[in-house]
Amino acid sequence: MIIPNKLKQGDEIRIIAPSRSASILSDEGVQTAKERLENLGFVISFGKHVFDKNLQNSTSIQQRVEDLHDAFADKNVKGILTVIGGFNSNELLPYIDYELIKKYTKVFCGYSDITAIGTAISTQTGMVTYSGPHFSSFQMRKAQEYQTHFFKQCLMQNEPFELKPSEHWSDDAWYLDQENRVFENTVWKTYNEGTVSGELWGGNLCTLNLLQGTKYMPIIENAILFIEDDEMTIPETFARDLTSLLQNAQSIKALVIGRFQRASKITEEQLLFILDKHPMLKTIPVLYDVDFGHTQPMFTFPIGGEVQIAAEKGSLKLVRF
């Protein structure tokens, strides 16, 4: 896999909206996120159509593709952050100029619905993309230190490093109330022990599964899968989606599951019941309640990169990213 050049202070980061529009953010939120990234030493610019919106708080396929292509083709731009997730980034996949992206490789980062477009870019160009904070994620004040630390570790340096658990985590609507937040102690948990290394694929589970049957779906056999889902899932749908992905892979090296939101009702009892259904998961390393997905804070990880897992220690190390 091609590793894009790492970001450095003084680099320009382009903000684009391949899913929902930035119009859903407050002016204060946009300014806060922009200033926080500028304080890290970056120059921030915005795509032409980032603040436009249609009936579903997005923009046309043509407008979103235009901003994506402009961001990659602009030689001054060294990294690309998505505004936020949503529901429709997979609409863009047949219209993307993947040869253009391969010619101008650069950091591309986002999560949730962005799993579709990031994965498609990786499969079609051989370039590593990143599952990590959106532009909107940098509005968050409390727990921002952890998120920013691993964003910088993954996107601004080359040396292998360990992903470590946060001290505490939250599932509250921080974007509505930054002050009155509720945090809990973080514990990464082991379902099955083992040590392994391999290529990493994954992201948001229901979004990744949208790619099955298309040329954009990666070959995940013998890969290490990182998966998570949001508050719209429930135990039954997560079980169905996980089964579909495992049947696609037939065999994987390891499974790492991001922490669930409370609204999903996927308790530890429910999750263990689901995992117990699959004999293959009793023979490979499996971790869960890990710091990525739709709870805060989150770390950044490379789609198509290489990771080492020592599940009995709860250890994750990014090797090539």
Side-chain angles (χ1 to χ4, degrees), residues 86-130:
F87 298 92
N88 61 352
S89 74
N90 68 322
E91 293 175 346
L92 308 188
L93 306 189
Y95 308 101
I96 294 172
D97 185 343
Y98 295 101
E99 289 303 313
L100 172 74
I101 293 175
K102 192 172 183 178
K103 182 178 179 180
Y104 300 109
T105 58
K106 56 191 66 175
V107 165
F108 178 88
C109 183
Y111 76 105
S112 192
D113 186 57
I114 305 305
T115 297
I117 192 169
T119 302
I121 288 172
S122 291
T123 60
Q124 298 304 295
T125 69
M127 181 185 82
V128 166
T129 57
Y130 300 91

